[in-house]
Amino acid sequence: MDVFEGKSWISGQGLVNTCIGIDEGKITAVKKILKGDNHTKFEGIILPSAFDMHVHFRDPGYPHKEDWKTGSECAAAGGVTAVVDMPNTNPFTSDLETFNDKVSTASSKSVVDFGVGVNVEKDLTEQTWFDTIPAAFWKLYPYGISSAEYFSYAKEVLDKTSKPLVIHGEHPDHMHNEPLNELSDHTQNRLIAEPECLASMPSSPYLHVAHLSTLEGLNRMPKLASSEVCPHHLLLNLDNCHSLDCKVDPPLRTKKDNSGLYDAFREGKIPILSSDHAPHTIDEKRSDNPPSGLPGVETMIPLMLNEVSEGRLELSRLVNAMSEAPAERLGLDRGRISEGMPADLIMIDMKNSKPIDLDKLHSKSNWTPFEDWPAIFPSQVYRRGELIAESGEIRQEGGGQNLF
Ligand code: DOR
Ligand code: ZN
């Protein structure tokens, strides 16, 4: 048995001086005193690592933007030991074959554990594999379809599913494409797309709204549904971010939206933190028709730990939003430091806040909207008891497993 000793986050108790016993990747004991074969004492704090249920690792299809190796290494260095990958790869993950291919690629290349989302297309619920495919969730996009199709697909899946339907909640009739001269033009193009969409969505406990971005959208959340918010919709707005590089769907909004969403996040009304890691190269971003999306899986937890250290967020809320709540939402028993859980842990020195250095990040996209922002990166990251990252360096090749 390996033993980690230090101030550890125990749900319901907070930070407690304790020993964590680990055998074959699982936490086998949490006790004041434990004797093991290897005993390591940590000076900082020990938290459950994060589970990011919204990333785009671009594999298959766009290896120049990211792939399972580089995307998962970003995750690992940023304290995220499990992710769910979205289906808008090439080909789309929309049937058993594309699903199995992605799981097999991820199994050979990902250093973090993972799940795979399946795209919602016509007649999804009639497929022979609808009830059996081990997908993390279904994902519905509003692109390239009419609003009638969008809402009827949502209803059809919600009526028949036994796993979450994650929606990109922007109304197809309100997503305009007027040319962009500045970042705020993109916001104008989508001004009411989110609240209009959410106001028309049926209420269901299976519904999960991805990347909430507006106060108005929050107010129109369908009853019984859950939601997530990303660091860029909490921290960036049209006043502190002007670059067209920051074009993202849904768009950046106002300070008022940031603070309304942040309050709801603090209260747990928005339960889950996700990154929507959506890398594109800087050349693509600077082209005549820039794609939407920001990289973020590596900076999400470091930025939010800095928020905790500056007193704007409770540590209990961050741990819940990054580890416990996403696991629970997807029906997985993990994300806590207690007996029987996978030993997915991050070690943090809360005093070690440093400006984000682009050269130290692992994404192929090679840019971040958060350059020089203060952030607290984990000193060590353990996936099922194995050290996978240390001070930003990756310590393992692959080894990630499908969680579903
Ligand atoms: O900005 C975005 N980029 N929003 C999305 O929903 C998709 C993503 C992407 O895949 O690039
Ligand atoms: Zn996304």
Short mmCIF file of all heavy atoms in Angstrom, two decimals, residues 54-56 58 86-88 139 141 143 166 168 210-211 228 230 248-250 274-278 293, ligand 2:
data_model
loop_
_atom_site.label_atom_id
_atom_site.label_comp_id
_atom_site.label_asym_id
_atom_site.label_seq_id
_atom_site.Cartn_x
_atom_site.Cartn_y
_atom_site.Cartn_z
N HIS A 54 -16.63 18.45 -20.59
CA HIS A 54 -16.84 19.15 -21.87
C HIS A 54 -15.52 19.56 -22.50
O HIS A 54 -15.00 20.66 -22.24
CB HIS A 54 -17.73 20.37 -21.63
CG HIS A 54 -18.22 21.00 -22.90
ND1 HIS A 54 -19.41 21.69 -22.96
CD2 HIS A 54 -17.70 21.06 -24.14
CE1 HIS A 54 -19.59 22.13 -24.19
NE2 HIS A 54 -18.56 21.77 -24.93
N VAL A 55 -14.93 18.67 -23.32
CA VAL A 55 -13.73 19.03 -24.07
C VAL A 55 -13.89 18.62 -25.54
O VAL A 55 -14.68 17.75 -25.87
CB VAL A 55 -12.44 18.36 -23.50
CG1 VAL A 55 -12.23 18.71 -22.04
CG2 VAL A 55 -12.44 16.85 -23.71
N HIS A 56 -13.09 19.27 -26.38
CA HIS A 56 -13.01 18.93 -27.81
C HIS A 56 -11.54 18.60 -28.10
O HIS A 56 -10.73 19.51 -28.26
CB HIS A 56 -13.44 20.11 -28.68
CG HIS A 56 -14.84 20.58 -28.44
ND1 HIS A 56 -15.90 20.21 -29.24
CD2 HIS A 56 -15.37 21.40 -27.49
CE1 HIS A 56 -17.02 20.77 -28.80
NE2 HIS A 56 -16.72 21.49 -27.73
N ARG A 58 -10.52 16.93 -30.73
CA ARG A 58 -10.28 17.04 -32.18
C ARG A 58 -9.75 15.79 -32.87
O ARG A 58 -9.19 15.89 -33.98
CB ARG A 58 -9.29 18.19 -32.48
CG ARG A 58 -9.61 19.53 -31.84
CD ARG A 58 -10.88 20.11 -32.36
NE ARG A 58 -11.05 21.51 -31.96
CZ ARG A 58 -12.23 22.08 -31.82
NH1 ARG A 58 -13.35 21.38 -32.02
NH2 ARG A 58 -12.33 23.34 -31.50
N MET A 86 -16.42 15.72 -26.85
CA MET A 86 -17.62 16.03 -27.63
C MET A 86 -17.55 15.40 -29.03
O MET A 86 -16.46 15.15 -29.56
CB MET A 86 -17.77 17.55 -27.73
CG MET A 86 -18.18 18.17 -26.41
SD MET A 86 -19.83 17.57 -25.97
CE MET A 86 -20.02 18.34 -24.35
N PRO A 87 -18.73 15.19 -29.65
CA PRO A 87 -18.76 14.40 -30.89
C PRO A 87 -18.47 15.16 -32.18
O PRO A 87 -18.48 14.54 -33.25
CB PRO A 87 -20.21 13.89 -30.91
CG PRO A 87 -21.00 14.90 -30.16
CD PRO A 87 -20.08 15.43 -29.11
N ASN A 88 -18.17 16.48 -32.11
CA ASN A 88 -18.00 17.20 -33.39
C ASN A 88 -16.58 17.06 -33.96
O ASN A 88 -15.92 18.04 -34.29
CB ASN A 88 -18.40 18.68 -33.24
CG ASN A 88 -17.54 19.43 -32.25
OD1 ASN A 88 -16.90 18.83 -31.39
ND2 ASN A 88 -17.53 20.75 -32.35
N LYS A 139 -25.25 14.54 -27.35
CA LYS A 139 -24.98 15.98 -27.48
C LYS A 139 -25.75 16.53 -28.67
O LYS A 139 -25.64 16.03 -29.79
CB LYS A 139 -23.47 16.21 -27.68
CG LYS A 139 -23.08 17.67 -27.94
CD LYS A 139 -23.21 18.54 -26.69
CE LYS A 139 -23.07 20.03 -26.96
NZ LYS A 139 -21.69 20.48 -27.06
N TYR A 141 -26.40 19.79 -31.06
CA TYR A 141 -25.92 21.10 -31.54
C TYR A 141 -27.00 21.82 -32.34
O TYR A 141 -27.81 21.16 -33.02
CB TYR A 141 -24.71 20.92 -32.46
CG TYR A 141 -23.43 20.63 -31.72
CD1 TYR A 141 -22.93 19.34 -31.66
CD2 TYR A 141 -22.74 21.64 -31.08
CE1 TYR A 141 -21.76 19.06 -30.98
CE2 TYR A 141 -21.57 21.38 -30.40
CZ TYR A 141 -21.08 20.09 -30.35
OH TYR A 141 -19.92 19.83 -29.66
N TYR A 143 -26.30 23.74 -34.95
CA TYR A 143 -25.72 24.15 -36.23
C TYR A 143 -26.26 23.30 -37.38
O TYR A 143 -26.39 22.08 -37.25
CB TYR A 143 -24.19 23.99 -36.22
CG TYR A 143 -23.49 24.75 -35.12
CD1 TYR A 143 -23.06 24.10 -33.97
CD2 TYR A 143 -23.26 26.11 -35.24
CE1 TYR A 143 -22.40 24.79 -32.96
CE2 TYR A 143 -22.61 26.81 -34.23
CZ TYR A 143 -22.18 26.15 -33.10
OH TYR A 143 -21.53 26.83 -32.11
N VAL A 166 -27.05 16.53 -23.40
CA VAL A 166 -26.35 17.81 -23.23
C VAL A 166 -26.67 18.66 -24.44
O VAL A 166 -26.49 18.23 -25.58
CB VAL A 166 -24.82 17.58 -23.12
CG1 VAL A 166 -24.09 18.91 -22.98
CG2 VAL A 166 -24.49 16.65 -21.96
N HIS A 168 -26.18 22.28 -26.62
CA HIS A 168 -25.61 23.60 -26.88
C HIS A 168 -26.84 24.49 -27.02
O HIS A 168 -27.54 24.43 -28.03
CB HIS A 168 -24.76 23.56 -28.15
CG HIS A 168 -24.16 24.89 -28.49
ND1 HIS A 168 -22.83 25.08 -28.68
CD2 HIS A 168 -24.73 26.11 -28.67
CE1 HIS A 168 -22.59 26.35 -28.97
NE2 HIS A 168 -23.73 27.00 -28.97
N ALA A 210 -25.19 22.98 -21.54
CA ALA A 210 -23.75 23.25 -21.57
C ALA A 210 -23.49 24.76 -21.52
O ALA A 210 -24.36 25.57 -21.84
CB ALA A 210 -23.14 22.68 -22.85
N HIS A 211 -22.31 25.12 -21.09
CA HIS A 211 -21.75 26.48 -21.13
C HIS A 211 -22.76 27.63 -21.07
O HIS A 211 -22.87 28.42 -22.01
CB HIS A 211 -20.83 26.66 -22.34
CG HIS A 211 -21.32 26.11 -23.66
ND1 HIS A 211 -22.58 26.33 -24.15
CD2 HIS A 211 -20.68 25.35 -24.58
CE1 HIS A 211 -22.69 25.74 -25.32
NE2 HIS A 211 -21.56 25.13 -25.60
N GLU A 228 -23.91 23.83 -16.62
CA GLU A 228 -22.48 24.03 -16.36
C GLU A 228 -22.09 25.43 -16.81
O GLU A 228 -22.80 26.05 -17.62
CB GLU A 228 -21.64 22.99 -17.14
CG GLU A 228 -21.75 23.20 -18.65
CD GLU A 228 -21.09 22.12 -19.50
OE1 GLU A 228 -21.15 20.94 -19.13
OE2 GLU A 228 -20.54 22.49 -20.56
N CYS A 230 -18.37 27.83 -17.82
CA CYS A 230 -16.94 27.74 -18.11
C CYS A 230 -16.22 28.96 -17.54
O CYS A 230 -16.80 30.05 -17.46
CB CYS A 230 -16.69 27.72 -19.61
SG CYS A 230 -17.67 26.52 -20.51
N VAL A 248 -16.15 32.91 -29.45
CA VAL A 248 -16.50 31.61 -28.89
C VAL A 248 -18.02 31.48 -28.91
O VAL A 248 -18.73 32.50 -28.89
CB VAL A 248 -15.92 31.47 -27.45
CG1 VAL A 248 -16.47 32.53 -26.50
CG2 VAL A 248 -16.14 30.08 -26.87
N ASP A 249 -18.51 30.25 -29.00
CA ASP A 249 -19.97 30.00 -28.98
C ASP A 249 -20.33 29.25 -27.71
O ASP A 249 -19.77 28.16 -27.50
CB ASP A 249 -20.39 29.12 -30.16
CG ASP A 249 -20.22 29.80 -31.50
OD1 ASP A 249 -19.90 31.01 -31.53
OD2 ASP A 249 -20.40 29.11 -32.52
N PRO A 250 -21.26 29.73 -26.90
CA PRO A 250 -21.85 31.06 -26.97
C PRO A 250 -20.83 32.15 -26.67
O PRO A 250 -19.82 31.88 -26.03
CB PRO A 250 -22.95 31.01 -25.90
CG PRO A 250 -22.65 29.85 -25.04
CD PRO A 250 -21.78 28.92 -25.79
N SER A 274 -17.01 23.45 -16.27
CA SER A 274 -16.42 22.71 -17.40
C SER A 274 -15.58 23.70 -18.19
O SER A 274 -15.72 24.91 -18.04
CB SER A 274 -17.52 22.12 -18.30
OG SER A 274 -18.10 23.16 -19.05
N SER A 275 -14.70 23.16 -19.07
CA SER A 275 -13.83 24.10 -19.79
C SER A 275 -14.31 24.44 -21.19
O SER A 275 -14.00 25.47 -21.72
CB SER A 275 -12.41 23.52 -19.89
OG SER A 275 -12.38 22.44 -20.82
N ASP A 276 -15.07 23.54 -21.84
CA ASP A 276 -15.34 23.66 -23.27
C ASP A 276 -14.03 23.92 -24.03
O ASP A 276 -13.97 24.78 -24.91
CB ASP A 276 -16.37 24.76 -23.57
CG ASP A 276 -16.91 24.67 -25.00
OD1 ASP A 276 -16.56 23.71 -25.71
OD2 ASP A 276 -17.66 25.57 -25.42
N HIS A 277 -13.00 23.16 -23.65
CA HIS A 277 -11.69 23.26 -24.34
C HIS A 277 -11.91 23.04 -25.84
O HIS A 277 -12.21 21.94 -26.28
CB HIS A 277 -10.76 22.18 -23.77
CG HIS A 277 -9.40 22.11 -24.38
ND1 HIS A 277 -8.40 23.00 -24.07
CD2 HIS A 277 -8.86 21.25 -25.28
CE1 HIS A 277 -7.30 22.69 -24.75
NE2 HIS A 277 -7.55 21.63 -25.50
N ALA A 278 -11.78 24.12 -26.63
CA ALA A 278 -12.09 24.07 -28.07
C ALA A 278 -10.95 24.74 -28.84
O ALA A 278 -11.05 25.88 -29.29
CB ALA A 278 -13.42 24.76 -28.34
N GLY A 293 -14.16 29.25 -30.52
CA GLY A 293 -13.62 28.29 -29.57
C GLY A 293 -12.34 28.77 -28.91
O GLY A 293 -11.52 29.43 -29.55
ZN ZN B 2 -18.15 22.63 -26.74
#
